Amino acid sequence: MPFIPHTELDVQEMLETIGVSSIEDLFDEIPAQLRAGELKKVPDALSEMEMMRRMRERAAQDEGALCFIGAGAYEHHIPAAVWDVATRGEFMTAYTPYQAEASQGTLQLIYEYQSMMASLMAMDVSNASLYDGASGLAEAVLMAVRANRKSKSRKILVPGAVHPMYRSALASIVESQNIELVEVPWSDAQGTTGLDALSAFEGQDITAVVIAQPNFFGQLEDVNALTDWAHQQKALAIALVNPMAMAVLEAPGNWGENGADIAVGDGQPLGVPMASGGPYYGFMCCTNAIVRQMPGRLIGRTVDLDGKPGYALTLQAREQHIRRSKATSNICTNQGLAVTASTIYMSLVGPDGLANVAGQSYKNTQALVELLCSIDGVERQYSGHSFHECVIKLPAKASLVLEKLAEREILGGFDLGRVDASLENAMLVCVTETKSDADLALYQSALIDVLKEIQG
């Protein structure tokens, strides 16, 4: 889609129309100390030809290598039909496809998406998406503060085993709104959040507890115990989950005695390519009891006077045109298109197909971990169960090992020393259904060579 900027003449005519002489005068209400001035790190503009060449070069850097990174973005096979359908003109439009007033087709698609996500999470309702998983978590925390009116503390317990980038985005969005985020340490042995770590908060006024499944290290938390603990403290339970994992693990709506109150995460594993980091979308589900605090909009199915089915905007309690001062929503056109792809993906593969993908990913991960841990000096960092990611402890710095693997066109994992200095010899490895036995054997062979090279 070409971008056509305004000409100098266009700009001058608009400025004259509103009665100012320059762009600087247009923004004179912004204090000088808040203006960024010249953006020295932003490169000069490129021509269309130069830009296309630059993008092709960048895209080529993502090709050809075996990827085992994960850490929030997951390589799954996407049937060709998914994006062939999603990019049809009816779906891929310059008009924001998340606008629920657009057409019956858009309304039905969102309705089908919401129905499938609510079923996958075993929750009552789903909205039509958020910006991404990290900002979705922030929206879930804001929602919990609004919904749990008996809690006055605005205190949220966030395990340290939650994705560090999610925690960073969460802090950026909610800490300025007088919400206190308290980090709960993880177990050095299992890499999970135990009840013993939460015991220090028993009896306190806690607004909500975030529970990740799997957590950032790929480890499976005892979600039933954590959810019940949260409810015993009169706090809401916010489930932060990988939607693909929910095809084989217990869904948030079934956690503990009463289920989680909010389920949130990133929808990228469901038919959205990694695409160098986006666009992705966040999903959110909740119980009926707190649905009016949910951001975004809900689509319902009805019938007209002739009994024919139709779809209609049913609830949008937090949208800007309903409650401007209380609105909270962060979706846009890209997220609408990604949701379209996920809806097509889920309808094509079905519940059994999702379970097959998740099961094969788990099986491949266990196979790779076994191969890697057969190498002298390599072992699992944590005990307990994991899904399709696992922390591997190395006899050398992970950053150096990963650099050497990359030279062999293997993107071997995520260097955990980037987020915690005590884990500089550990890497997070992810395997999905896209990897074959030959791929796993190649990785093992390459790691043996790399460790020999490093250790002399």
Side-chain angles (χ1 to χ4, degrees):
M1 182 182 299
F3 174 67
I4 304 173
H6 302 300
T7 66
E8 289 293 330
L9 180 59
D10 293 334
V11 172
Q12 196 57 45
E13 288 179 349
M14 287 189 285
L15 291 174
E16 290 175 358
T17 299
I18 60 177
V20 294
S21 58
S22 69
I23 294 292
E24 286 297 312
D25 292 342
L26 183 63
F27 296 111
D28 64 358
E29 291 188 1
I30 301 175
Q33 67 271 23
L34 297 181
R35 300 188 190 185
E38 182 183 358
L39 301 176
K40 296 180 179 178
K41 294 184 178 179
V42 176
D44 295 335
L46 301 176
S47 68
E48 179 178 332
M49 182 179 71
E50 292 170 330
M51 183 271 292
M52 294 300 293
R53 179 171 181 169
R54 178 75 60 85
M55 296 304 292
R56 284 195 295 270
E57 291 172 350
R58 296 282 172 83
Q61 294 176 358
D62 289 341
E63 297 176 352
L66 279 175
C67 180
F68 294 87
I69 297 179
Y74 303 104
E75 182 185 25
H76 289 290
H77 171 68
I78 302 173
V82 171
W83 282 93
D84 278 355
V85 177
T87 51
R88 284 176 59 95
E90 299 93 325
F91 293 122
M92 191 174 180
T93 167
Y95 182 66
T96 51
Y98 75 88
Q99 291 291 356
E101 302 85 352
S103 69
Q104 277 293 298
T106 299
L107 290 169
Q108 181 177 357
L109 183 138
I110 295 175
Y111 174 82
E112 302 291 354
Y113 163 78
Q114 292 176 168
S115 300
M116 288 188 276
M117 289 305 297
S119 176
L120 187 60
M121 298 296 144
M123 304 290 282
D124 295 327
V125 293
S126 163
N127 70 7
S129 84
L130 296 163
Y131 185 69
D132 61 12
S135 59
L137 175 60
E139 290 286 357
V141 166
L142 293 171
M143 179 180 171
V145 170
R146 294 192 299 271
N148 192 355
R149 297 179 181 176
K150 293 182 179 178
S151 172
K152 305 302 180 187
S153 69
R154 302 167 71 91
K155 181 185 293 184
I156 312 294
L157 300 188
V158 185
V162 167
H163 196 303
M165 295 177 187
Y166 280 44
R167 286 188 281 122
S168 176
L170 173 63
S172 297
I173 294 173
V174 309
E175 282 189 337
S176 62
Q177 302 189 49
N178 297 320
I179 294 175
E180 181 185 4
L181 302 177
V182 181
E183 185 171 317
V184 182
W186 70 79
S187 160
D188 289 335
Q190 295 185 316
T192 56
T193 307
L195 288 179
D196 55 336
L198 294 171
S199 61
F201 303 97
E202 281 188 4
Q204 296 185 17
D205 180 6
I206 306 296
T207 304
V209 179
V210 177
I211 304 170
Q213 184 73 329
N215 65 27
F216 177 59
F217 303 124
Q219 298 293 105
L220 300 186
E221 301 277 4
D222 185 354
V223 293
N224 294 322
L226 295 175
T227 302
D228 286 343
W229 185 90
H231 288 158
Q232 288 163 7
Q233 312 308 313
K234 303 186 185 309
L236 296 186
I238 300 173
L240 175 63
V241 301
N242 178 330
M244 186 63 76
M246 295 304 102
V248 292
L249 302 178
E250 195 65 73
N254 299 326
W255 290 0
E257 292 188 6
N258 299 306
D261 302 281
I262 304 169
V264 67
D266 200 296
Q268 181 271 327
L270 304 175
V272 180
M274 293 194 290
S276 301
Y280 299 159
Y281 75 92
F283 64 86
M284 178 183 282
C285 301
C286 73
T287 62
N288 270 329
I290 55 176
V291 67
R292 294 194 68 83
Q293 303 302 331
M294 174 182 266
R297 58 196 66 188
L298 303 181
I299 307 302
R301 184 179 184 275
T302 184
V303 293
D304 63 15
L305 293 175
D306 298 323
K308 297 178 181 177
Y311 301 88
L313 191 57
T314 303
L315 184 65
Q316 48 182 342
R318 295 289 143 187
E319 286 295 287
Q320 291 90 338
H321 55 284
I322 301 297
R323 293 186 174 192
R324 183 177 180 183
S325 62
K326 297 181 178 180
T328 174
S329 179
N330 56 13
I331 55 176
C332 66
T333 301
N334 285 331
Q335 280 58 49
L337 186 61
V339 162
T340 300
S342 280
T343 307
I344 298 167
Y345 176 83
M346 288 189 285
S347 65
L348 281 177
V349 302
D352 292 342
L354 285 180
N356 184 52
V357 170
Q360 190 62 44
S361 299
Y362 171 81
K363 179 182 175 183
N364 283 348
T365 303
Q366 303 311 309
L368 180 64
V369 169
E370 188 172 331
L371 286 173
L372 298 186
C373 291
S374 68
I375 304 171
D376 286 343
V378 178
E379 59 184 348
R380 289 184 64 143
Q381 178 77 26
Y382 302 119
S383 60
H385 298 289
S386 59
F387 174 53
H388 69 358
E389 286 177 283
C390 186
V391 179
I392 300 296
K393 187 176 181 181
L394 301 163
K397 280 190 176 182
S399 58
L400 181 57
V401 171
L402 292 172
E403 181 182 328
K404 298 291 184 183
L405 286 171
E407 292 172 359
R408 292 161 171 79
E409 296 195 333
I410 293 177
L411 307 179
F414 181 86
D415 171 20
L416 289 173
R418 294 170 55 184
V419 298
D420 189 317
S422 68
L423 296 174
E424 67 174 5
N425 281 21
M427 62 179 179
L428 184 63
V429 175
C430 173
V431 194
T432 65
E433 84 285 3
T434 60
K435 299 299 179 290
S436 66
D437 291 343
D439 294 332
L440 306 187
L442 182 62
Y443 189 157
Q444 180 196 32
S445 175
L447 183 57
I448 291 172
D449 292 342
V450 165
L451 291 178
K452 284 181 180 177
E453 180 182 340
I454 293 174
Q455 295 171 330

